[in-house]
Amino acid sequence: MTAKRIDGKAAAQAIRDRVAARVGEFEQRIGRPPGLATVLVGEDPASAVYVRSKNRATAEAGMAGSAHNLPDTTSEDELLQLVTELNANERVDGILVQLPLPGQIDAARVIETIEPGKDVDGFHPTNAGRLATGLPSLVPCTPFGCLYLLKQELGSIAGLEAVVVGRSNIVGKPMAQLLIGESATVTVAHSRTRDLKEVVRRGDIVVAAVGRPEMLHGDWIKPGAIVIDVGINRIPTDDGKGRLVGDVAYEEAVEVAAAITPVPGGVGPMTIAMLMRNTLVAAHRRAGLADPEGL
């Protein structure tokens, strides 16, 4: 068996195209485009790349973007003041504060300061609680993108056994909640899980989000499983440039799984697509409109 390669780039582009079409409809009705503000503190190279990609996607969707790039010496109070100003700005529908933040800033306090209705990352405790209790919320972009790929591949996932490897607030926990909401039987595994390999092998669906390069090997995967690899890890190469790999040993897993996301080109593009979707949804809700259909 050679697994199907799940094309996250194509799926993400389809979502972004639908969002762009609905941005025009929103602007006609409300008189302005949806607005997304990004906040980058410091000069972390990876964070800078991510934020540039998000700003570019915002412009391509026809949304109004505002980029706030602050020095790494920014104090917590200064950042909280900016977030408070963005909360009050009626032309801003979504606020994204890029993580991680410098050590002098408490990320949890910053996230809690963002207006929940503008929390397009879906990290605010209010959105996390609403997701956990099955209420409408803004859902974290990466797990939401993973769910989209799974449903595109499988249709219904009700009754399937899903194993999420990783328990972060950003991916693992919300991923589990989304899968529960689709009536899957969910196990959340992590570094202290006993017999981790055997737990993973139970999964009809495996979502790997541990941040360890190629940790999950081919013999960890149940034959015919669907594998969603969230990991993005750079490992050294002889030429000194390094290469990106996921949390799953792709060349091994591709011989066992029914379908698998590659790294890069799998989950990564979906994160930005779902950010665009969340911003459009936030704009509709703030304007008193029903959520846009087909997203």
Side-chain angles (χ1 to χ4, degrees):
M1 175 188 297
T2 300
K4 173 185 174 182
R5 181 181 182 275
I6 300 173
D7 190 344
K9 286 184 178 179
Q13 190 59 55
I15 294 168
R16 290 171 62 172
D17 288 346
R18 292 198 294 272
V19 167
R22 286 162 178 77
V23 164
E25 298 169 4
F26 178 88
E27 187 169 8
Q28 286 184 340
R29 294 185 66 177
I30 303 303
R32 65 167 182 85
L36 174 64
T38 60
V39 181
L40 174 64
V41 184
E43 299 177 358
D44 177 77
S47 293
V49 169
Y50 293 149
V51 171
R52 282 197 299 270
S53 296
K54 292 165 183 176
N55 291 335
R56 185 166 56 247
T58 302
E60 290 173 355
M63 298 184 188
S66 59
H68 302 266
N69 298 328
L70 308 177
D72 58 10
T73 54
T74 299
S75 70
E76 183 175 295
D77 286 345
E78 288 171 328
L79 179 54
L80 293 176
Q81 179 60 38
L82 173 59
V83 170
T84 300
E85 292 170 1
L86 294 173
N87 284 340
N89 189 331
E90 286 302 312
R91 300 185 72 85
V92 172
D93 299 294
I95 301 169
L96 182 149
V97 178
Q98 182 66 38
L99 302 178
L101 292 167
Q104 74 272 18
I105 299 174
D106 181 350
R109 190 176 178 203
V110 174
I111 290 168
E112 289 172 2
T113 302
I114 298 172
E115 168 63 39
K118 296 188 177 188
D119 169 39
V120 287
D121 264 335
F123 296 161
H124 192 283
T126 294
N127 282 318
R130 292 180 69 86
L131 175 61
T133 53
L135 295 172
S137 64
L138 290 170
V139 180
C141 302
T142 299
F144 204 20
C146 294
L147 181 67
Y148 182 95
L149 294 177
L150 285 169
K151 293 178 73 173
Q152 187 177 56
E153 200 63 36
L154 293 168
S156 172
I157 61 177
L160 296 180
E161 186 154 2
V163 178
V164 179
V165 189
R167 52 180 169 174
S168 72
N169 292 333
I170 294 174
V171 180
K173 291 176 184 177
M175 187 78 249
Q177 295 293 346
L178 287 168
L179 290 165
I180 290 169
E182 296 292 329
S183 298
T185 300
V186 182
T187 299
V188 178
H190 45 78
S191 60
R192 297 194 179 184
T193 299
R194 295 180 181 178
D195 299 322
L196 180 59
K197 173 181 174 180
E198 294 307 313
V199 171
V200 173
R201 274 185 63 85
R202 297 203 306 257
D204 303 304
I205 295 167
V206 176
V207 180
V210 289
R212 297 185 184 180
E214 300 181 325
M215 176 179 170
L216 279 65
H217 293 278
D219 61 354
W220 292 35
I221 306 301
K222 178 180 179 179
I226 309 298
V227 179
I228 305 294
D229 190 350
V230 182
I232 302 178
N233 311 283
R234 184 171 293 278
I235 61 173
T237 55
D238 292 339
D239 61 10
K241 295 180 180 179
R243 65 184 179 93
L244 293 178
V245 300
D247 292 346
V248 178
Y250 182 88
E251 297 301 331
E252 298 176 19
V254 77
E255 299 297 327
V256 183
I260 185 171
T261 57
V263 177
V267 173
M270 294 298 295
T271 298
I272 293 180
M274 288 307 182
L275 173 64
M276 298 300 102
R277 179 262 180 201
N278 277 359
T279 302
L280 182 62
V281 168
H284 275 70
R285 292 176 182 175
R286 295 187 64 249
L289 303 176
D291 287 1
E293 296 181 357
L295 297 177

